[in-house]
mmCIF file of all heavy atoms in Angstrom:
data_model
loop_
_atom_site.group_PDB
_atom_site.id
_atom_site.type_symbol
_atom_site.label_atom_id
_atom_site.label_comp_id
_atom_site.label_asym_id
_atom_site.label_seq_id
_atom_site.Cartn_x
_atom_site.Cartn_y
_atom_site.Cartn_z
ATOM 1 N N ARG A 1 -4.507 12.445 -11.302
ATOM 2 C CA ARG A 1 -4.824 11.027 -11.556
ATOM 3 C C ARG A 1 -5.733 10.469 -10.458
ATOM 4 O O ARG A 1 -6.710 9.774 -10.738
ATOM 5 C CB ARG A 1 -3.527 10.211 -11.628
ATOM 6 C CG ARG A 1 -3.749 8.702 -11.822
ATOM 7 C CD ARG A 1 -2.429 7.962 -11.887
ATOM 8 N NE ARG A 1 -1.590 8.247 -10.744
ATOM 9 C CZ ARG A 1 -1.764 7.694 -9.542
ATOM 10 N NH1 ARG A 1 -2.777 6.847 -9.332
ATOM 11 N NH2 ARG A 1 -0.942 7.982 -8.545
ATOM 12 N N LYS A 2 -5.430 10.786 -9.215
ATOM 13 C CA LYS A 2 -6.266 10.335 -8.098
ATOM 14 C C LYS A 2 -7.664 10.932 -8.181
ATOM 15 O O LYS A 2 -8.661 10.259 -7.894
ATOM 16 C CB LYS A 2 -5.609 10.718 -6.773
ATOM 17 C CG LYS A 2 -4.325 9.954 -6.469
ATOM 18 C CD LYS A 2 -3.722 10.413 -5.142
ATOM 19 C CE LYS A 2 -2.432 9.660 -4.830
ATOM 20 N NZ LYS A 2 -1.851 10.098 -3.529
ATOM 21 N N ALA A 3 -7.744 12.184 -8.596
ATOM 22 C CA ALA A 3 -9.049 12.841 -8.721
ATOM 23 C C ALA A 3 -9.886 12.171 -9.813
ATOM 24 O O ALA A 3 -11.105 11.977 -9.657
ATOM 25 C CB ALA A 3 -8.866 14.325 -9.020
ATOM 26 N N GLU A 4 -9.231 11.819 -10.907
ATOM 27 C CA GLU A 4 -9.952 11.169 -12.002
ATOM 28 C C GLU A 4 -10.465 9.785 -11.572
ATOM 29 O O GLU A 4 -11.587 9.387 -11.902
ATOM 30 C CB GLU A 4 -9.032 11.034 -13.224
ATOM 31 C CG GLU A 4 -9.669 10.356 -14.436
ATOM 32 C CD GLU A 4 -10.947 11.049 -14.891
ATOM 33 O OE1 GLU A 4 -11.057 12.290 -14.761
ATOM 34 O OE2 GLU A 4 -11.874 10.340 -15.352
ATOM 35 N N GLU A 5 -9.660 9.058 -10.831
ATOM 36 C CA GLU A 5 -10.093 7.750 -10.320
ATOM 37 C C GLU A 5 -11.295 7.913 -9.387
ATOM 38 O O GLU A 5 -12.251 7.117 -9.439
ATOM 39 C CB GLU A 5 -8.935 7.072 -9.571
ATOM 40 C CG GLU A 5 -7.795 6.625 -10.474
ATOM 41 C CD GLU A 5 -6.602 6.107 -9.686
ATOM 42 O OE1 GLU A 5 -6.647 6.179 -8.421
ATOM 43 O OE2 GLU A 5 -5.635 5.633 -10.307
ATOM 44 N N ALA A 6 -11.258 8.942 -8.554
ATOM 45 C CA ALA A 6 -12.369 9.182 -7.633
ATOM 46 C C ALA A 6 -13.637 9.549 -8.390
ATOM 47 O O ALA A 6 -14.733 9.087 -8.059
ATOM 48 C CB ALA A 6 -12.007 10.296 -6.648
ATOM 49 N N ARG A 7 -13.486 10.401 -9.446
ATOM 50 C CA ARG A 7 -14.668 10.776 -10.241
ATOM 51 C C ARG A 7 -15.274 9.562 -10.925
ATOM 52 O O ARG A 7 -16.503 9.432 -11.040
ATOM 53 C CB ARG A 7 -14.279 11.845 -11.263
ATOM 54 C CG ARG A 7 -14.083 13.229 -10.661
ATOM 55 C CD ARG A 7 -13.943 14.300 -11.732
ATOM 56 N NE ARG A 7 -12.662 14.227 -12.407
ATOM 57 C CZ ARG A 7 -11.573 14.911 -12.053
ATOM 58 N NH1 ARG A 7 -11.616 15.724 -10.992
ATOM 59 N NH2 ARG A 7 -10.451 14.807 -12.742
ATOM 60 N N GLN A 8 -14.413 8.643 -11.375
ATOM 61 C CA GLN A 8 -14.902 7.420 -12.020
ATOM 62 C C GLN A 8 -15.690 6.556 -11.028
ATOM 63 O O GLN A 8 -16.742 6.010 -11.355
ATOM 64 C CB GLN A 8 -13.725 6.623 -12.590
ATOM 65 C CG GLN A 8 -14.115 5.359 -13.344
ATOM 66 C CD GLN A 8 -14.963 5.654 -14.566
ATOM 67 O OE1 GLN A 8 -14.724 6.634 -15.275
ATOM 68 N NE2 GLN A 8 -15.980 4.822 -14.819
ATOM 69 N N GLN A 9 -15.198 6.451 -9.793
ATOM 70 C CA GLN A 9 -15.909 5.689 -8.761
ATOM 71 C C GLN A 9 -17.261 6.310 -8.455
ATOM 72 O O GLN A 9 -18.272 5.597 -8.318
ATOM 73 C CB GLN A 9 -15.055 5.623 -7.481
ATOM 74 C CG GLN A 9 -13.828 4.732 -7.605
ATOM 75 C CD GLN A 9 -12.948 4.778 -6.366
ATOM 76 O OE1 GLN A 9 -12.873 5.805 -5.696
ATOM 77 N NE2 GLN A 9 -12.278 3.670 -6.081
ATOM 78 N N ILE A 10 -17.298 7.632 -8.361
ATOM 79 C CA ILE A 10 -18.560 8.318 -8.081
ATOM 80 C C ILE A 10 -19.561 8.060 -9.204
ATOM 81 O O ILE A 10 -20.759 7.832 -8.952
ATOM 82 C CB ILE A 10 -18.314 9.840 -7.906
ATOM 83 C CG1 ILE A 10 -17.485 10.079 -6.641
ATOM 84 C CG2 ILE A 10 -19.637 10.598 -7.822
ATOM 85 C CD1 ILE A 10 -16.938 11.489 -6.528
ATOM 86 N N ALA A 11 -19.080 8.066 -10.451
ATOM 87 C CA ALA A 11 -19.951 7.803 -11.608
ATOM 88 C C ALA A 11 -20.542 6.397 -11.538
ATOM 89 O O ALA A 11 -21.645 6.150 -12.043
ATOM 90 C CB ALA A 11 -19.164 7.996 -12.902
ATOM 91 N N GLU A 12 -19.818 5.481 -10.897
ATOM 92 C CA GLU A 12 -20.288 4.086 -10.768
ATOM 93 C C GLU A 12 -21.070 3.861 -9.478
ATOM 94 O O GLU A 12 -21.395 2.728 -9.132
ATOM 95 C CB GLU A 12 -19.073 3.148 -10.800
ATOM 96 C CG GLU A 12 -18.336 3.153 -12.138
ATOM 97 C CD GLU A 12 -17.040 2.356 -12.092
ATOM 98 O OE1 GLU A 12 -16.750 1.802 -11.007
ATOM 99 O OE2 GLU A 12 -16.352 2.283 -13.120
ATOM 100 N N GLY A 13 -21.362 4.949 -8.763
ATOM 101 C CA GLY A 13 -22.148 4.837 -7.534
ATOM 102 C C GLY A 13 -21.343 4.413 -6.318
ATOM 103 O O GLY A 13 -21.903 3.960 -5.324
ATOM 104 N N ILE A 14 -20.032 4.556 -6.408
ATOM 105 C CA ILE A 14 -19.157 4.166 -5.307
ATOM 106 C C ILE A 14 -18.638 5.409 -4.599
ATOM 107 O O ILE A 14 -18.217 6.379 -5.256
ATOM 108 C CB ILE A 14 -17.968 3.332 -5.837
ATOM 109 C CG1 ILE A 14 -18.465 2.061 -6.530
ATOM 110 C CG2 ILE A 14 -17.004 2.980 -4.696
ATOM 111 C CD1 ILE A 14 -17.383 1.305 -7.266
ATOM 112 N N ASP A 15 -18.670 5.371 -3.279
ATOM 113 C CA ASP A 15 -18.142 6.487 -2.482
ATOM 114 C C ASP A 15 -16.641 6.273 -2.288
ATOM 115 O O ASP A 15 -16.230 5.357 -1.566
ATOM 116 C CB ASP A 15 -18.849 6.532 -1.125
ATOM 117 C CG ASP A 15 -18.394 7.702 -0.258
ATOM 118 O OD1 ASP A 15 -17.386 8.338 -0.602
ATOM 119 O OD2 ASP A 15 -19.051 7.949 0.773
ATOM 120 N N PRO A 16 -15.797 7.097 -2.923
ATOM 121 C CA PRO A 16 -14.343 6.893 -2.789
ATOM 122 C C PRO A 16 -13.846 7.053 -1.348
ATOM 123 O O PRO A 16 -12.860 6.428 -0.958
ATOM 124 C CB PRO A 16 -13.745 7.970 -3.703
ATOM 125 C CG PRO A 16 -14.818 8.997 -3.841
ATOM 126 C CD PRO A 16 -16.115 8.248 -3.772
ATOM 127 N N GLY A 17 -14.546 7.883 -0.564
ATOM 128 C CA GLY A 17 -14.167 8.039 0.844
ATOM 129 C C GLY A 17 -14.382 6.754 1.626
ATOM 130 O O GLY A 17 -13.560 6.370 2.478
ATOM 131 N N LYS A 18 -15.475 6.040 1.321
ATOM 132 C CA LYS A 18 -15.767 4.778 1.983
ATOM 133 C C LYS A 18 -14.709 3.740 1.621
ATOM 134 O O LYS A 18 -14.245 2.971 2.478
ATOM 135 C CB LYS A 18 -17.153 4.292 1.576
ATOM 136 C CG LYS A 18 -17.606 3.040 2.297
ATOM 137 C CD LYS A 18 -19.030 2.672 1.895
ATOM 138 C CE LYS A 18 -19.505 1.433 2.651
ATOM 139 N NZ LYS A 18 -20.900 1.083 2.272
ATOM 140 N N ILE A 19 -14.324 3.732 0.344
ATOM 141 C CA ILE A 19 -13.288 2.807 -0.106
ATOM 142 C C ILE A 19 -11.980 3.105 0.624
ATOM 143 O O ILE A 19 -11.272 2.196 1.082
ATOM 144 C CB ILE A 19 -13.073 2.913 -1.629
ATOM 145 C CG1 ILE A 19 -14.345 2.512 -2.382
ATOM 146 C CG2 ILE A 19 -11.891 2.050 -2.065
ATOM 147 C CD1 ILE A 19 -14.787 1.098 -2.143
ATOM 148 N N ARG A 20 -11.668 4.388 0.776
ATOM 149 C CA ARG A 20 -10.446 4.791 1.470
ATOM 150 C C ARG A 20 -10.464 4.299 2.919
ATOM 151 O O ARG A 20 -9.464 3.776 3.425
ATOM 152 C CB ARG A 20 -10.332 6.317 1.425
ATOM 153 C CG ARG A 20 -9.221 6.920 2.282
ATOM 154 C CD ARG A 20 -7.857 6.841 1.627
ATOM 155 N NE ARG A 20 -7.784 7.620 0.428
ATOM 156 C CZ ARG A 20 -7.509 8.944 0.394
ATOM 157 N NH1 ARG A 20 -7.317 9.615 1.512
ATOM 158 N NH2 ARG A 20 -7.429 9.575 -0.754
ATOM 159 N N ARG A 21 -11.611 4.472 3.572
ATOM 160 C CA ARG A 21 -11.719 4.050 4.977
ATOM 161 C C ARG A 21 -11.590 2.540 5.110
ATOM 162 O O ARG A 21 -10.972 2.035 6.055
ATOM 163 C CB ARG A 21 -13.050 4.526 5.573
ATOM 164 C CG ARG A 21 -13.117 6.033 5.774
ATOM 165 C CD ARG A 21 -14.341 6.440 6.569
ATOM 166 N NE ARG A 21 -15.583 6.169 5.860
ATOM 167 C CZ ARG A 21 -16.156 7.009 4.999
ATOM 168 N NH1 ARG A 21 -15.588 8.188 4.725
ATOM 169 N NH2 ARG A 21 -17.297 6.694 4.412
ATOM 170 N N GLN A 22 -12.184 1.803 4.162
ATOM 171 C CA GLN A 22 -12.089 0.340 4.180
ATOM 172 C C GLN A 22 -10.647 -0.115 3.987
ATOM 173 O O GLN A 22 -10.178 -1.046 4.657
ATOM 174 C CB GLN A 22 -12.995 -0.258 3.104
ATOM 175 C CG GLN A 22 -14.478 -0.126 3.399
ATOM 176 C CD GLN A 22 -15.346 -0.608 2.243
ATOM 177 O OE1 GLN A 22 -14.868 -0.785 1.107
ATOM 178 N NE2 GLN A 22 -16.632 -0.806 2.527
ATOM 179 N N GLU A 23 -9.941 0.540 3.062
ATOM 180 C CA GLU A 23 -8.544 0.180 2.814
ATOM 181 C C GLU A 23 -7.688 0.475 4.045
ATOM 182 O O GLU A 23 -6.803 -0.313 4.404
ATOM 183 C CB GLU A 23 -8.019 0.950 1.608
ATOM 184 C CG GLU A 23 -8.628 0.501 0.280
ATOM 185 C CD GLU A 23 -8.186 1.379 -0.880
ATOM 186 O OE1 GLU A 23 -7.604 2.476 -0.613
ATOM 187 O OE2 GLU A 23 -8.415 0.997 -2.041
ATOM 188 N N LYS A 24 -7.985 1.600 4.696
ATOM 189 C CA LYS A 24 -7.245 1.969 5.895
ATOM 190 C C LYS A 24 -7.492 0.964 7.013
ATOM 191 O O LYS A 24 -6.560 0.539 7.708
ATOM 192 C CB LYS A 24 -7.661 3.370 6.342
ATOM 193 C CG LYS A 24 -6.866 3.895 7.530
ATOM 194 C CD LYS A 24 -7.286 5.309 7.885
ATOM 195 C CE LYS A 24 -6.488 5.832 9.075
ATOM 196 N NZ LYS A 24 -6.889 7.215 9.442
ATOM 197 N N ALA A 25 -8.770 0.586 7.170
ATOM 198 C CA ALA A 25 -9.123 -0.388 8.201
ATOM 199 C C ALA A 25 -8.458 -1.734 7.929
ATOM 200 O O ALA A 25 -7.989 -2.414 8.855
ATOM 201 C CB ALA A 25 -10.635 -0.546 8.271
ATOM 202 N N ALA A 26 -8.419 -2.124 6.636
ATOM 203 C CA ALA A 26 -7.795 -3.398 6.267
ATOM 204 C C ALA A 26 -6.306 -3.391 6.594
ATOM 205 O O ALA A 26 -5.751 -4.387 7.082
ATOM 206 C CB ALA A 26 -8.007 -3.668 4.779
ATOM 207 N N LYS A 27 -5.639 -2.244 6.347
ATOM 208 C CA LYS A 27 -4.211 -2.141 6.661
ATOM 209 C C LYS A 27 -3.984 -2.214 8.164
ATOM 210 O O LYS A 27 -3.049 -2.874 8.635
ATOM 211 C CB LYS A 27 -3.657 -0.832 6.105
ATOM 212 C CG LYS A 27 -3.527 -0.809 4.592
ATOM 213 C CD LYS A 27 -2.983 0.527 4.111
ATOM 214 C CE LYS A 27 -2.866 0.557 2.579
ATOM 215 N NZ LYS A 27 -2.377 1.873 2.097
ATOM 216 N N GLN A 28 -4.847 -1.525 8.920
ATOM 217 C CA GLN A 28 -4.720 -1.557 10.380
ATOM 218 C C GLN A 28 -4.943 -2.965 10.919
ATOM 219 O O GLN A 28 -4.235 -3.417 11.820
ATOM 220 C CB GLN A 28 -5.722 -0.585 11.007
ATOM 221 C CG GLN A 28 -5.385 0.878 10.778
ATOM 222 C CD GLN A 28 -6.441 1.811 11.332
ATOM 223 O OE1 GLN A 28 -7.597 1.419 11.544
ATOM 224 N NE2 GLN A 28 -6.065 3.065 11.574
ATOM 225 N N LEU A 29 -5.950 -3.655 10.316
ATOM 226 C CA LEU A 29 -6.239 -5.019 10.741
ATOM 227 C C LEU A 29 -5.068 -5.945 10.438
ATOM 228 O O LEU A 29 -4.692 -6.789 11.259
ATOM 229 C CB LEU A 29 -7.510 -5.526 10.048
ATOM 230 C CG LEU A 29 -7.975 -6.938 10.414
ATOM 231 C CD1 LEU A 29 -8.313 -7.011 11.897
ATOM 232 C CD2 LEU A 29 -9.185 -7.341 9.569
ATOM 233 N N ALA A 30 -4.470 -5.763 9.241
ATOM 234 C CA ALA A 30 -3.334 -6.597 8.862
ATOM 235 C C ALA A 30 -2.163 -6.376 9.819
ATOM 236 O O ALA A 30 -1.484 -7.329 10.221
ATOM 237 C CB ALA A 30 -2.915 -6.280 7.429
ATOM 238 N N LYS A 31 -1.964 -5.126 10.203
ATOM 239 C CA LYS A 31 -0.884 -4.811 11.137
ATOM 240 C C LYS A 31 -1.154 -5.426 12.502
ATOM 241 O O LYS A 31 -0.254 -5.999 13.134
ATOM 242 C CB LYS A 31 -0.736 -3.291 11.255
ATOM 243 C CG LYS A 31 0.458 -2.862 12.094
ATOM 244 C CD LYS A 31 0.613 -1.352 12.096
ATOM 245 C CE LYS A 31 1.813 -0.920 12.920
ATOM 246 N NZ LYS A 31 1.978 0.550 12.930
ATOM 247 N N GLN A 32 -2.414 -5.321 12.957
ATOM 248 C CA GLN A 32 -2.793 -5.920 14.242
ATOM 249 C C GLN A 32 -2.587 -7.425 14.220
ATOM 250 O O GLN A 32 -2.070 -8.017 15.177
ATOM 251 C CB GLN A 32 -4.256 -5.609 14.564
ATOM 252 C CG GLN A 32 -4.501 -4.248 15.165
ATOM 253 C CD GLN A 32 -5.963 -4.065 15.508
ATOM 254 O OE1 GLN A 32 -6.821 -3.922 14.636
ATOM 255 N NE2 GLN A 32 -6.271 -4.098 16.785
ATOM 256 N N ASN A 33 -2.995 -8.031 13.105
ATOM 257 C CA ASN A 33 -2.909 -9.492 13.011
ATOM 258 C C ASN A 33 -1.467 -9.979 12.964
ATOM 259 O O ASN A 33 -1.159 -11.063 13.453
ATOM 260 C CB ASN A 33 -3.691 -9.990 11.795
ATOM 261 C CG ASN A 33 -5.183 -10.003 12.048
ATOM 262 O OD1 ASN A 33 -5.621 -10.200 13.186
ATOM 263 N ND2 ASN A 33 -5.978 -9.783 11.018
ATOM 264 N N GLN A 34 -0.587 -9.184 12.374
ATOM 265 C CA GLN A 34 0.827 -9.554 12.372
ATOM 266 C C GLN A 34 1.347 -9.628 13.805
ATOM 267 O O GLN A 34 2.062 -10.560 14.176
ATOM 268 C CB GLN A 34 1.635 -8.526 11.575
ATOM 269 C CG GLN A 34 1.482 -8.668 10.066
ATOM 270 C CD GLN A 34 2.299 -7.633 9.307
ATOM 271 O OE1 GLN A 34 2.885 -6.719 9.901
ATOM 272 N NE2 GLN A 34 2.338 -7.757 7.993
ATOM 273 N N GLY A 35 0.946 -8.635 14.604
ATOM 274 C CA GLY A 35 1.354 -8.634 16.003
ATOM 275 C C GLY A 35 0.737 -9.770 16.782
ATOM 276 O O GLY A 35 1.396 -10.412 17.617
ATOM 277 N N ARG A 36 -0.542 -10.079 16.501
ATOM 278 C CA ARG A 36 -1.228 -11.175 17.199
ATOM 279 C C ARG A 36 -0.593 -12.521 16.865
ATOM 280 O O ARG A 36 -0.428 -13.374 17.737
ATOM 281 C CB ARG A 36 -2.718 -11.188 16.833
ATOM 282 C CG ARG A 36 -3.501 -10.028 17.432
ATOM 283 C CD ARG A 36 -4.939 -10.029 16.935
ATOM 284 N NE ARG A 36 -5.678 -11.197 17.396
ATOM 285 C CZ ARG A 36 -6.313 -11.275 18.553
ATOM 286 N NH1 ARG A 36 -6.286 -10.254 19.388
ATOM 287 N NH2 ARG A 36 -6.977 -12.374 18.887
ATOM 288 N N GLN A 37 -0.257 -12.702 15.588
ATOM 289 C CA GLN A 37 0.353 -13.973 15.191
ATOM 290 C C GLN A 37 1.720 -14.171 15.842
ATOM 291 O O GLN A 37 2.073 -15.288 16.210
ATOM 292 C CB GLN A 37 0.474 -14.021 13.664
ATOM 293 C CG GLN A 37 -0.876 -14.259 12.976
ATOM 294 C CD GLN A 37 -0.755 -14.309 11.470
ATOM 295 O OE1 GLN A 37 -0.183 -13.433 10.845
ATOM 296 N NE2 GLN A 37 -1.285 -15.368 10.874
ATOM 297 N N LYS A 38 2.470 -13.063 16.011
ATOM 298 C CA LYS A 38 3.759 -13.168 16.703
ATOM 299 C C LYS A 38 3.562 -13.592 18.150
ATOM 300 O O LYS A 38 4.413 -14.256 18.741
ATOM 301 C CB LYS A 38 4.489 -11.820 16.640
ATOM 302 C CG LYS A 38 5.053 -11.491 15.264
ATOM 303 C CD LYS A 38 5.766 -10.150 15.285
ATOM 304 C CE LYS A 38 6.331 -9.800 13.910
ATOM 305 N NZ LYS A 38 6.991 -8.462 13.917
ATOM 306 N N GLU A 39 2.416 -13.187 18.733
ATOM 307 C CA GLU A 39 2.118 -13.526 20.128
ATOM 308 C C GLU A 39 1.376 -14.855 20.251
ATOM 309 O O GLU A 39 1.001 -15.263 21.347
ATOM 310 C CB GLU A 39 1.272 -12.419 20.756
ATOM 311 C CG GLU A 39 1.993 -11.083 20.856
ATOM 312 C CD GLU A 39 1.082 -9.980 21.351
ATOM 313 O OE1 GLU A 39 -0.054 -10.300 21.772
ATOM 314 O OE2 GLU A 39 1.493 -8.805 21.329
#
């Protein structure tokens, strides 16, 4: 299922690896911001 989603993104001109990195960065940022808000 994940492979099919990735193939669909590639067909639409989207790099699934870039999307993965952006999602990872967003999660890291959200985690950082939770800590910053506590401080």
Side-chain angles (χ1 to χ4, degrees):
R1 177 180 54 78
K2 291 179 180 181
E4 180 56 33
E5 291 173 356
R7 285 190 287 267
Q8 183 62 39
Q9 289 175 328
I10 293 168
E12 295 173 1
I14 300 171
D15 182 348
K18 185 177 182 179
I19 297 299
R20 171 80 64 85
R21 290 189 294 273
Q22 290 174 345
E23 290 174 347
K24 184 178 180 180
K27 288 179 181 178
Q28 290 176 339
L29 181 62
K31 186 176 181 180
Q32 278 183 288
N33 283 329
Q34 284 180 353
R36 289 175 65 87
Q37 286 180 309
K38 287 180 180 178
E39 295 174 9

